[in-house]
Amino acid sequence: MNWDWEKLQKQRQGNTGGTPPGFDDFNEQFKKLKSFKLPGGKIVLLAVALLWLLSGIYIVEPDEVGVVKRFGAFSRITTSGPHYHIPYPVESVLTPKVTQIRRIEMGFRSMTRNRSVPFRQGQERGVPDESLMLTGDENIVSVQFIVQYLIKDAKDYLFNVKDVEATIKNAASAAMREVIGKSKIDDALTTGKQEIQASTRELMQHILDLYKSGISIVAVQMQNVHPPDQVVDAFKDVASAREDKSRFINEAQAYSNDILPKARGQAARITNAAQAYSEAKIRRSQGEASRFLAVLKEYKKAKDITRRRLYLETMESILSNPDAEKLILSDDALKKSIPYLPLDTVRRGKTADTAKQ
Amino acid sequence: MNKKSALLIILILVGTIVLTQSVFTVDQTEEALVLQLGKPVYPDPLGPGLHFKLPLVQDVVYFDSRILDYDAKPEEITTEDKKYMNIDSFAKWRIANPLVFYQKVRTIPGAQARLDDIIRSQLRVSLGRYTLIEVVSRKRPEIMTNVTARTKKQLEPYGIEVIDVRIKRTDLPPENATAIFGRMKAERERQAKQYRSEGQEAMARIKAKADKERSIILAEAEKQAEEQRGQGDAKATAIYAEALGQSPEFYGFMRSLDAYRKSFKDKSRFIFTPESPFLKYFQ
């Protein structure tokens, strides 16, 4: 008995060609039902049959593909547009969104899941259990990242792996920790992010391909990488220490930039002053020399009279000063009065005496 | 007429019951075994599609043909260097041989229990051979490959194919984590201190260098200035000497007169004796 069923099925599969299986069944049934009479039954039956036939129409949206199953088995993939499948219970259709990029948050959850509140950056809650990981240099770092993926093979996605989303999450966790485990904390915190993202993406893709999950990882993006809360202050202090260092250097350079030009200016002033002194001195000497030589030339012509004239002229110009006190004393009187004269006056008198010649 | 239709209805009903009892579908995600009074009918499991069986005597058991998840509870493991760590792993597996699977473990929870036993012990054994840092970092892929291979072998007799065993998380117990935090903190403090003192060192260097340069610049300027002045003085002296040397006696006279003129500019007192040459004609 069982074998007959098998044969029948095989035969049917061989025969199908144009009309899909089930149609024959349906026609036979329909004929049977035709002969079955109820008041007004024909119209009702016809309407029901029509509705049943129409239920096979389905539309695949531009971001979807249609995956048609016949008796549960994968049958075909249809692209976007209107299509027809044999109605229930023969064929059924699934329409996964294959162009839509999905997103998984790792290490944090956005607070604004509900649509009514617009997405705002920073409104999120950390999940330390997911985000804390060990680095290759035995430090702990908190990594929050997102994974973007899309369905690259709808058939694999639907039929190969149970709970694909959880699988992606596990793969993300494992991959990121493996990559971070090979990195140094400083790389993870600073310059190595690009590389970590790329390696994680690659590793995740490898894992998911191993499971034939039909998933393509579009991107792994690190959102917020920071030291754990317990040590974050120390890390921040390092950053500010680095700033301090460059501040110190800048300050010193500012000092240097301030004093050196000033010193150069001062140096220029000193050398220029010396040059001025020297040039002036030379010129003065040249002038005085010429003056002397000129006068000397004339003096040589009439020595005595020039000498007398010059002497008298000088004395005149000195003594014509209205402030100058003049005192004429005889030699005797001078000798007697010396004890009474103020000392400085004596000195002056003596000086004056030198003018005698 | 009534009798006939009643018979028809009964016939249809019976037909439907027989049909639903003998026709079954297997989904794309499933495999099925057909058992005839407990004895498997086909050597191989049935794939997706429409199938038939005998009503009443034959039974269908369905199995998930997809890759299934086994997510272990995190557990504490001791590493080769006697450190504790919490290992959270997961495995991917599928039912490779439904018949054997059905005979040995029957259900998925039953399989999970087997997986749990074997993966757990394998992880424990494998991880115990490595130091903590090896587990975290360099040897991790190797460990996972080994564990996968071994568990695969051990679970084959159960009709289970292990595809992948993967360490999801390697965390330290809280006490160890605290120690690490302490070390991280100390490291950073050291670094911060180093940066600051390096900055101060650089600052002192730069400032001292600038001070030095300033001193040199100024001294150099003074040196040049002195040289310049000296040259000027020398030149002037030479000029004076050359000119004045022509008549030292007259220079002495002239210079004295000049000096008188300059020296007695202000309020001064002159005492003359009648013998002064200036007063020669005064008497």
Short mmCIF file of all heavy atoms in Angstrom, two decimals, chain A residues 9 69 72 74 129 138-139 159-160 162 167 170 177 181 211 244-245 255 260 277 288 307 321 325 327 329 331 356, chain B residues 27-28 50 66-67 92 137 164 168-169 183-184 188 196 198 211 213 229 233 240 249 265 268-270 272-274 277:
data_model
loop_
_atom_site.label_atom_id
_atom_site.label_comp_id
_atom_site.label_asym_id
_atom_site.label_seq_id
_atom_site.Cartn_x
_atom_site.Cartn_y
_atom_site.Cartn_z
N GLN A 9 3.19 9.20 -6.45
CA GLN A 9 3.87 10.50 -6.31
C GLN A 9 4.92 10.67 -7.39
O GLN A 9 4.99 11.70 -8.04
CB GLN A 9 4.53 10.58 -4.94
CG GLN A 9 4.82 12.00 -4.55
CD GLN A 9 5.86 12.05 -3.46
OE1 GLN A 9 6.38 11.01 -3.05
NE2 GLN A 9 6.18 13.24 -3.03
N LYS A 69 7.63 27.74 -1.35
CA LYS A 69 7.79 26.36 -0.91
C LYS A 69 6.59 25.57 -1.42
O LYS A 69 5.45 26.03 -1.33
CB LYS A 69 7.83 26.29 0.63
CG LYS A 69 9.07 26.91 1.23
CD LYS A 69 9.25 26.48 2.67
CE LYS A 69 8.21 27.14 3.58
NZ LYS A 69 8.46 26.81 4.99
N GLY A 72 6.15 22.42 1.60
CA GLY A 72 7.21 22.60 2.59
C GLY A 72 8.61 22.61 2.01
O GLY A 72 9.54 23.07 2.64
N PHE A 74 11.60 23.71 -0.59
CA PHE A 74 11.94 24.90 -1.36
C PHE A 74 11.68 24.63 -2.84
O PHE A 74 12.10 23.59 -3.37
CB PHE A 74 13.41 25.24 -1.14
CG PHE A 74 13.91 26.30 -2.07
CD1 PHE A 74 13.58 27.63 -1.86
CD2 PHE A 74 14.69 25.97 -3.18
CE1 PHE A 74 14.03 28.60 -2.72
CE2 PHE A 74 15.14 26.94 -4.04
CZ PHE A 74 14.81 28.25 -3.82
N ASP A 129 28.17 43.66 30.58
CA ASP A 129 28.42 42.23 30.36
C ASP A 129 28.86 41.96 28.93
O ASP A 129 29.65 41.08 28.67
CB ASP A 129 27.15 41.44 30.66
CG ASP A 129 27.18 40.87 32.06
OD1 ASP A 129 28.13 41.21 32.78
OD2 ASP A 129 26.26 40.12 32.40
N GLU A 138 46.49 41.98 28.59
CA GLU A 138 45.86 41.72 29.88
C GLU A 138 45.25 42.96 30.52
O GLU A 138 45.36 43.18 31.71
CB GLU A 138 46.85 41.06 30.85
CG GLU A 138 46.52 39.59 31.06
CD GLU A 138 47.43 38.94 32.08
OE1 GLU A 138 48.60 38.69 31.76
OE2 GLU A 138 46.95 38.69 33.19
N ASN A 139 44.67 43.77 29.69
CA ASN A 139 43.89 44.89 30.20
C ASN A 139 42.43 44.64 29.85
O ASN A 139 42.12 43.75 29.08
CB ASN A 139 44.35 46.19 29.56
CG ASN A 139 45.69 46.64 30.10
OD1 ASN A 139 45.89 46.69 31.30
ND2 ASN A 139 46.61 46.94 29.21
N PHE A 159 16.51 28.69 5.66
CA PHE A 159 16.43 27.25 5.92
C PHE A 159 17.65 26.64 6.59
O PHE A 159 17.60 25.48 6.97
CB PHE A 159 16.16 26.52 4.60
CG PHE A 159 14.96 27.04 3.86
CD1 PHE A 159 15.05 27.42 2.54
CD2 PHE A 159 13.74 27.17 4.52
CE1 PHE A 159 13.93 27.91 1.87
CE2 PHE A 159 12.62 27.65 3.86
CZ PHE A 159 12.72 28.02 2.52
N ASN A 160 18.76 27.38 6.68
CA ASN A 160 19.97 26.68 7.14
C ASN A 160 20.25 26.78 8.62
O ASN A 160 20.81 25.87 9.20
CB ASN A 160 21.19 27.20 6.39
CG ASN A 160 21.34 26.50 5.05
OD1 ASN A 160 20.54 25.63 4.73
ND2 ASN A 160 22.34 26.87 4.30
N LYS A 162 19.00 27.95 12.56
CA LYS A 162 17.90 28.31 13.45
C LYS A 162 18.30 29.57 14.22
O LYS A 162 19.42 29.66 14.70
CB LYS A 162 17.66 27.16 14.43
CG LYS A 162 16.34 27.29 15.14
CD LYS A 162 16.15 26.12 16.08
CE LYS A 162 14.86 26.31 16.86
NZ LYS A 162 14.71 25.29 17.88
N THR A 167 22.49 33.93 16.29
CA THR A 167 23.75 33.42 15.75
C THR A 167 24.67 34.58 15.40
O THR A 167 25.87 34.55 15.70
CB THR A 167 23.47 32.56 14.50
OG1 THR A 167 22.57 31.53 14.87
CG2 THR A 167 24.75 31.98 13.96
N ASN A 170 26.05 36.07 18.59
CA ASN A 170 27.11 35.24 19.16
C ASN A 170 28.39 35.35 18.35
O ASN A 170 29.48 35.46 18.90
CB ASN A 170 26.66 33.77 19.21
CG ASN A 170 25.84 33.48 20.44
OD1 ASN A 170 25.84 34.27 21.40
ND2 ASN A 170 25.11 32.39 20.43
N ARG A 177 35.76 39.72 20.44
CA ARG A 177 36.64 39.38 21.56
C ARG A 177 37.92 38.71 21.08
O ARG A 177 38.98 38.92 21.65
CB ARG A 177 35.90 38.46 22.53
CG ARG A 177 35.13 39.25 23.54
CD ARG A 177 34.00 38.44 24.12
NE ARG A 177 32.94 39.33 24.54
CZ ARG A 177 32.92 39.92 25.73
NH1 ARG A 177 33.86 39.70 26.60
NH2 ARG A 177 31.93 40.73 26.03
N GLY A 181 41.28 40.46 21.73
CA GLY A 181 42.23 39.64 22.47
C GLY A 181 43.62 39.62 21.85
O GLY A 181 44.60 39.31 22.51
N TYR A 211 28.58 28.55 8.71
CA TYR A 211 27.25 28.04 9.04
C TYR A 211 26.31 28.11 7.83
O TYR A 211 25.15 27.77 7.95
CB TYR A 211 26.60 28.84 10.19
CG TYR A 211 27.45 28.97 11.43
CD1 TYR A 211 27.25 30.03 12.30
CD2 TYR A 211 28.43 28.03 11.73
CE1 TYR A 211 28.02 30.15 13.44
CE2 TYR A 211 29.21 28.16 12.86
CZ TYR A 211 29.00 29.22 13.71
OH TYR A 211 29.76 29.36 14.84
N ASP A 244 49.36 68.28 29.04
CA ASP A 244 50.24 69.09 29.89
C ASP A 244 51.64 69.13 29.30
O ASP A 244 52.27 70.17 29.25
CB ASP A 244 50.31 68.49 31.30
CG ASP A 244 49.10 68.87 32.13
OD1 ASP A 244 48.34 69.74 31.65
OD2 ASP A 244 48.93 68.31 33.22
N LYS A 245 52.08 67.96 28.85
CA LYS A 245 53.42 67.88 28.29
C LYS A 245 53.56 68.84 27.12
O LYS A 245 54.49 69.64 27.06
CB LYS A 245 53.70 66.44 27.84
CG LYS A 245 55.06 66.26 27.22
CD LYS A 245 55.27 64.84 26.77
CE LYS A 245 56.54 64.73 25.96
NZ LYS A 245 56.76 63.37 25.48
N TYR A 255 58.40 81.13 25.47
CA TYR A 255 59.42 81.88 26.21
C TYR A 255 60.63 82.13 25.31
O TYR A 255 61.12 83.25 25.19
CB TYR A 255 59.82 81.07 27.45
CG TYR A 255 60.99 81.60 28.21
CD1 TYR A 255 60.83 82.68 29.09
CD2 TYR A 255 62.25 81.04 28.07
CE1 TYR A 255 61.90 83.18 29.79
CE2 TYR A 255 63.33 81.53 28.77
CZ TYR A 255 63.16 82.60 29.63
OH TYR A 255 64.23 83.09 30.32
N LEU A 260 64.44 85.47 22.54
CA LEU A 260 65.51 85.47 21.54
C LEU A 260 65.43 86.65 20.57
O LEU A 260 66.42 87.35 20.37
CB LEU A 260 65.57 84.14 20.81
CG LEU A 260 66.15 83.01 21.67
CD1 LEU A 260 66.22 81.73 20.89
CD2 LEU A 260 67.51 83.38 22.24
N TYR A 277 79.37 105.18 17.75
CA TYR A 277 80.42 105.78 18.59
C TYR A 277 81.70 105.88 17.79
O TYR A 277 82.33 106.95 17.72
CB TYR A 277 80.61 104.92 19.84
CG TYR A 277 81.88 105.22 20.59
CD1 TYR A 277 81.90 106.25 21.55
CD2 TYR A 277 83.05 104.50 20.36
CE1 TYR A 277 83.06 106.55 22.24
CE2 TYR A 277 84.21 104.78 21.04
CZ TYR A 277 84.22 105.80 21.97
OH TYR A 277 85.37 106.08 22.65
N GLU A 288 88.43 117.72 13.91
CA GLU A 288 89.30 118.48 14.79
C GLU A 288 90.70 118.61 14.21
O GLU A 288 91.34 119.66 14.31
CB GLU A 288 89.34 117.83 16.17
CG GLU A 288 88.12 118.20 17.00
CD GLU A 288 88.12 117.55 18.38
OE1 GLU A 288 89.18 117.11 18.84
OE2 GLU A 288 87.03 117.49 18.99
N ARG A 307 98.89 134.05 18.87
CA ARG A 307 98.88 133.46 20.19
C ARG A 307 98.25 134.41 21.18
O ARG A 307 97.38 134.05 21.97
CB ARG A 307 100.35 133.17 20.58
CG ARG A 307 100.52 132.22 21.73
CD ARG A 307 102.01 132.06 21.97
NE ARG A 307 102.21 131.26 23.13
CZ ARG A 307 102.44 129.96 23.09
NH1 ARG A 307 102.53 129.34 21.94
NH2 ARG A 307 102.61 129.30 24.21
N ASN A 321 81.32 136.25 30.99
CA ASN A 321 80.16 135.59 31.60
C ASN A 321 79.71 136.42 32.81
O ASN A 321 80.48 136.65 33.72
CB ASN A 321 80.60 134.18 32.02
CG ASN A 321 79.44 133.39 32.63
OD1 ASN A 321 78.32 133.88 32.72
ND2 ASN A 321 79.75 132.17 33.03
N GLU A 325 82.67 135.80 38.95
CA GLU A 325 83.12 136.78 39.93
C GLU A 325 84.58 137.10 39.67
O GLU A 325 85.38 136.17 39.50
CB GLU A 325 83.00 136.18 41.33
CG GLU A 325 81.79 136.66 42.07
CD GLU A 325 81.79 136.07 43.48
OE1 GLU A 325 82.59 136.54 44.30
OE2 GLU A 325 81.01 135.11 43.72
N LEU A 327 88.03 139.12 40.89
CA LEU A 327 88.64 139.69 42.10
C LEU A 327 90.11 139.97 41.79
O LEU A 327 90.79 139.09 41.28
CB LEU A 327 88.51 138.66 43.24
CG LEU A 327 88.58 139.15 44.66
CD1 LEU A 327 87.38 140.06 44.96
CD2 LEU A 327 88.58 137.96 45.61
N LEU A 329 93.54 141.04 43.42
CA LEU A 329 94.26 141.25 44.68
C LEU A 329 95.75 141.40 44.38
O LEU A 329 96.25 140.73 43.47
CB LEU A 329 94.05 140.05 45.61
CG LEU A 329 92.68 139.88 46.26
CD1 LEU A 329 92.64 138.55 46.98
CD2 LEU A 329 92.39 141.02 47.23
N ASP A 331 99.61 140.71 45.22
CA ASP A 331 100.27 139.49 45.70
C ASP A 331 100.30 139.41 47.20
O ASP A 331 100.02 138.36 47.78
CB ASP A 331 101.71 139.44 45.18
CG ASP A 331 101.76 138.69 43.86
OD1 ASP A 331 100.68 138.14 43.45
OD2 ASP A 331 102.82 138.61 43.23
N LYS A 356 97.64 132.11 33.59
CA LYS A 356 98.52 133.26 33.49
C LYS A 356 99.39 133.24 32.23
O LYS A 356 99.62 134.25 31.59
CB LYS A 356 99.45 133.31 34.72
CG LYS A 356 98.80 133.98 35.89
CD LYS A 356 99.78 133.99 37.06
CE LYS A 356 99.07 134.29 38.37
NZ LYS A 356 99.96 134.08 39.49
N ASP B 27 8.94 20.14 6.03
CA ASP B 27 9.37 21.49 5.69
C ASP B 27 10.83 21.49 5.25
O ASP B 27 11.57 20.56 5.55
CB ASP B 27 9.18 22.43 6.89
CG ASP B 27 9.29 23.87 6.48
OD1 ASP B 27 8.34 24.38 5.87
OD2 ASP B 27 10.36 24.49 6.76
N GLN B 28 11.19 22.57 4.55
CA GLN B 28 12.57 22.72 4.09
C GLN B 28 13.56 22.69 5.26
O GLN B 28 14.71 22.35 5.11
CB GLN B 28 12.69 24.04 3.31
CG GLN B 28 14.03 24.28 2.65
CD GLN B 28 14.28 23.33 1.48
OE1 GLN B 28 13.35 22.92 0.79
NE2 GLN B 28 15.53 22.98 1.24
N LEU B 50 6.34 16.55 -0.10
CA LEU B 50 5.11 15.82 0.21
C LEU B 50 5.42 14.34 0.30
O LEU B 50 6.12 13.79 -0.54
CB LEU B 50 4.10 16.08 -0.92
CG LEU B 50 2.71 15.52 -0.76
CD1 LEU B 50 1.97 16.24 0.36
CD2 LEU B 50 1.94 15.64 -2.07
N ARG B 66 18.17 22.18 10.45
CA ARG B 66 19.00 23.39 10.42
C ARG B 66 20.18 23.27 11.39
O ARG B 66 20.25 22.34 12.19
CB ARG B 66 18.15 24.61 10.84
CG ARG B 66 17.13 24.97 9.81
CD ARG B 66 16.26 26.08 10.30
NE ARG B 66 15.46 25.68 11.46
CZ ARG B 66 14.58 26.48 12.04
NH1 ARG B 66 14.40 27.71 11.60
NH2 ARG B 66 13.88 26.06 13.07
N ILE B 67 21.05 24.24 11.29
CA ILE B 67 22.13 24.32 12.26
C ILE B 67 21.56 24.88 13.55
O ILE B 67 20.90 25.92 13.54
CB ILE B 67 23.28 25.19 11.73
CG1 ILE B 67 23.97 24.47 10.57
CG2 ILE B 67 24.27 25.52 12.84
CD1 ILE B 67 25.06 25.26 9.93
N LYS B 92 27.75 25.27 17.50
CA LYS B 92 26.78 25.11 16.43
C LYS B 92 26.78 23.66 16.02
O LYS B 92 27.85 23.08 15.79
CB LYS B 92 27.19 26.01 15.25
CG LYS B 92 26.96 27.49 15.53
CD LYS B 92 25.49 27.80 15.44
CE LYS B 92 25.24 29.19 16.02
NZ LYS B 92 23.82 29.49 16.07
N SER B 137 44.43 35.54 23.85
CA SER B 137 45.00 36.17 22.68
C SER B 137 45.45 35.18 21.61
O SER B 137 44.70 34.78 20.74
CB SER B 137 46.15 37.05 23.19
OG SER B 137 46.92 37.49 22.13
N ASP B 164 30.91 23.84 14.94
CA ASP B 164 31.81 24.87 15.46
C ASP B 164 31.62 25.01 16.95
O ASP B 164 30.49 25.07 17.43
CB ASP B 164 31.46 26.20 14.76
CG ASP B 164 32.54 27.24 14.94
OD1 ASP B 164 33.68 26.86 15.24
OD2 ASP B 164 32.24 28.44 14.76
N LYS B 168 32.90 32.48 23.27
CA LYS B 168 32.24 33.78 23.05
C LYS B 168 32.92 34.83 23.91
O LYS B 168 33.31 35.87 23.43
CB LYS B 168 30.77 33.65 23.40
CG LYS B 168 29.97 34.88 23.08
CD LYS B 168 28.48 34.56 22.97
CE LYS B 168 27.95 34.05 24.30
NZ LYS B 168 26.47 33.96 24.29
N ARG B 169 33.02 34.52 25.18
CA ARG B 169 33.59 35.52 26.09
C ARG B 169 34.59 34.88 27.03
O ARG B 169 34.39 33.77 27.51
CB ARG B 169 32.47 36.17 26.90
CG ARG B 169 31.57 37.03 26.06
CD ARG B 169 30.38 37.49 26.83
NE ARG B 169 30.73 37.86 28.18
CZ ARG B 169 29.85 38.10 29.11
NH1 ARG B 169 28.58 37.99 28.87
NH2 ARG B 169 30.23 38.45 30.31
N ARG B 183 46.05 47.39 38.46
CA ARG B 183 47.29 47.44 37.68
C ARG B 183 47.17 48.45 36.55
O ARG B 183 48.08 49.23 36.29
CB ARG B 183 47.58 46.06 37.11
CG ARG B 183 49.04 45.85 36.81
CD ARG B 183 49.24 44.76 35.80
NE ARG B 183 48.59 45.09 34.56
CZ ARG B 183 47.79 44.29 33.89
NH1 ARG B 183 47.53 43.10 34.34
NH2 ARG B 183 47.24 44.67 32.77
N MET B 184 46.02 48.44 35.89
CA MET B 184 45.83 49.38 34.79
C MET B 184 45.96 50.82 35.28
O MET B 184 46.58 51.66 34.66
CB MET B 184 44.43 49.19 34.17
CG MET B 184 44.33 47.97 33.30
SD MET B 184 42.62 47.63 32.84
CE MET B 184 42.37 48.84 31.54
N ARG B 188 48.71 53.58 34.21
CA ARG B 188 48.34 54.88 33.62
C ARG B 188 48.91 56.02 34.44
O ARG B 188 49.33 57.03 33.90
CB ARG B 188 46.82 55.01 33.52
CG ARG B 188 46.22 54.01 32.62
CD ARG B 188 46.65 54.21 31.17
NE ARG B 188 46.84 52.93 30.54
CZ ARG B 188 47.08 52.75 29.25
NH1 ARG B 188 47.19 53.79 28.45
NH2 ARG B 188 47.24 51.55 28.76
N ARG B 196 54.17 64.14 32.21
CA ARG B 196 54.31 65.46 32.82
C ARG B 196 55.77 65.80 33.03
O ARG B 196 56.22 66.91 32.72
CB ARG B 196 53.56 65.51 34.15
CG ARG B 196 52.06 65.50 33.94
CD ARG B 196 51.29 66.32 34.98
NE ARG B 196 49.89 66.41 34.58
CZ ARG B 196 48.97 65.48 34.86
NH1 ARG B 196 49.30 64.41 35.56
NH2 ARG B 196 47.73 65.62 34.45
N GLU B 198 58.33 64.54 31.54
CA GLU B 198 58.96 64.74 30.24
C GLU B 198 58.71 66.16 29.73
O GLU B 198 59.60 66.82 29.18
CB GLU B 198 58.42 63.74 29.22
CG GLU B 198 59.16 62.43 29.20
CD GLU B 198 58.48 61.41 28.30
OE1 GLU B 198 57.55 61.79 27.55
OE2 GLU B 198 58.89 60.25 28.35
N ASP B 211 67.87 80.82 27.09
CA ASP B 211 68.64 81.73 27.96
C ASP B 211 70.10 81.78 27.51
O ASP B 211 70.70 82.84 27.43
CB ASP B 211 68.56 81.27 29.42
CG ASP B 211 67.22 81.64 30.04
OD1 ASP B 211 66.55 82.55 29.49
OD2 ASP B 211 66.86 81.04 31.06
N GLU B 213 71.29 81.08 24.56
CA GLU B 213 71.41 81.78 23.29
C GLU B 213 71.34 83.28 23.47
O GLU B 213 72.08 84.05 22.85
CB GLU B 213 70.32 81.31 22.32
CG GLU B 213 70.80 80.12 21.50
CD GLU B 213 69.68 79.49 20.70
OE1 GLU B 213 68.79 80.24 20.23
OE2 GLU B 213 69.69 78.25 20.56
N ARG B 229 84.36 99.91 18.83
CA ARG B 229 84.75 101.14 19.53
C ARG B 229 86.27 101.30 19.53
O ARG B 229 86.81 102.38 19.29
CB ARG B 229 84.21 101.12 20.96
CG ARG B 229 82.79 101.65 21.05
CD ARG B 229 82.43 102.01 22.48
NE ARG B 229 82.18 100.79 23.27
CZ ARG B 229 80.95 100.30 23.48
NH1 ARG B 229 79.90 100.92 22.98
NH2 ARG B 229 80.79 99.21 24.17
N ASP B 233 88.36 104.26 18.16
CA ASP B 233 89.28 105.00 19.03
C ASP B 233 90.68 105.02 18.41
O ASP B 233 91.34 106.07 18.36
CB ASP B 233 89.34 104.36 20.41
CG ASP B 233 88.11 104.71 21.24
OD1 ASP B 233 87.42 105.69 20.86
OD2 ASP B 233 87.85 104.02 22.25
N TYR B 240 94.39 112.06 15.21
CA TYR B 240 94.82 113.14 16.12
C TYR B 240 96.34 113.24 16.13
O TYR B 240 96.92 114.30 15.95
CB TYR B 240 94.32 112.88 17.55
CG TYR B 240 92.88 113.28 17.77
CD1 TYR B 240 91.96 112.39 18.33
CD2 TYR B 240 92.46 114.60 17.47
CE1 TYR B 240 90.65 112.77 18.55
CE2 TYR B 240 91.14 114.96 17.69
CZ TYR B 240 90.24 114.07 18.22
OH TYR B 240 88.96 114.43 18.43
N GLU B 249 103.36 121.93 20.48
CA GLU B 249 103.36 123.14 21.32
C GLU B 249 102.10 123.95 21.07
O GLU B 249 101.39 124.32 22.00
CB GLU B 249 104.63 123.94 20.99
CG GLU B 249 104.86 125.15 21.87
CD GLU B 249 104.20 126.40 21.32
OE1 GLU B 249 104.03 126.51 20.08
OE2 GLU B 249 103.77 127.24 22.14
N LYS B 265 82.69 127.84 32.40
CA LYS B 265 81.43 128.30 31.80
C LYS B 265 80.50 128.87 32.85
O LYS B 265 79.88 129.88 32.66
CB LYS B 265 80.74 127.12 31.13
CG LYS B 265 80.77 127.22 29.62
CD LYS B 265 79.96 126.07 29.06
CE LYS B 265 80.49 125.71 27.68
NZ LYS B 265 80.08 124.37 27.29
N SER B 268 81.91 131.19 38.38
CA SER B 268 83.25 130.92 38.89
C SER B 268 83.85 132.22 39.47
O SER B 268 83.38 133.31 39.17
CB SER B 268 84.19 130.43 37.79
OG SER B 268 83.49 129.79 36.78
N ARG B 269 84.78 132.02 40.35
CA ARG B 269 85.44 133.19 40.94
C ARG B 269 86.89 133.24 40.49
O ARG B 269 87.59 132.22 40.59
CB ARG B 269 85.38 133.10 42.47
CG ARG B 269 86.00 134.27 43.16
CD ARG B 269 85.87 134.11 44.66
NE ARG B 269 84.50 134.26 45.12
CZ ARG B 269 84.15 134.00 46.37
NH1 ARG B 269 85.02 133.55 47.25
NH2 ARG B 269 82.91 134.18 46.76
N PHE B 270 87.29 134.32 39.94
CA PHE B 270 88.67 134.49 39.46
C PHE B 270 89.42 135.48 40.34
O PHE B 270 88.88 136.54 40.66
CB PHE B 270 88.68 135.02 38.02
CG PHE B 270 88.02 134.05 37.06
CD1 PHE B 270 86.67 134.15 36.76
CD2 PHE B 270 88.75 133.01 36.49
CE1 PHE B 270 86.08 133.28 35.90
CE2 PHE B 270 88.15 132.14 35.62
CZ PHE B 270 86.81 132.26 35.31
N PHE B 272 92.75 137.50 40.43
CA PHE B 272 93.92 137.91 39.65
C PHE B 272 94.90 138.69 40.51
O PHE B 272 94.49 139.39 41.42
CB PHE B 272 93.51 138.85 38.50
CG PHE B 272 92.59 138.15 37.50
CD1 PHE B 272 91.22 138.35 37.52
CD2 PHE B 272 93.16 137.32 36.53
CE1 PHE B 272 90.42 137.73 36.60
CE2 PHE B 272 92.33 136.73 35.60
CZ PHE B 272 90.97 136.92 35.64
N THR B 273 96.11 138.56 40.19
CA THR B 273 97.10 139.51 40.75
C THR B 273 97.44 140.48 39.64
O THR B 273 97.27 140.15 38.45
CB THR B 273 98.37 138.77 41.20
OG1 THR B 273 98.90 138.07 40.08
CG2 THR B 273 98.08 137.80 42.33
N PRO B 274 97.84 141.56 40.03
CA PRO B 274 98.14 142.59 39.02
C PRO B 274 99.20 142.12 38.03
O PRO B 274 99.23 142.61 36.90
CB PRO B 274 98.67 143.74 39.86
CG PRO B 274 98.12 143.52 41.22
CD PRO B 274 98.00 142.08 41.40
N PRO B 277 99.12 138.36 33.11
CA PRO B 277 99.32 138.93 31.77
C PRO B 277 98.03 139.54 31.23
O PRO B 277 98.05 140.50 30.47
CB PRO B 277 99.72 137.72 30.91
CG PRO B 277 99.85 136.56 31.82
CD PRO B 277 99.42 136.95 33.18
#
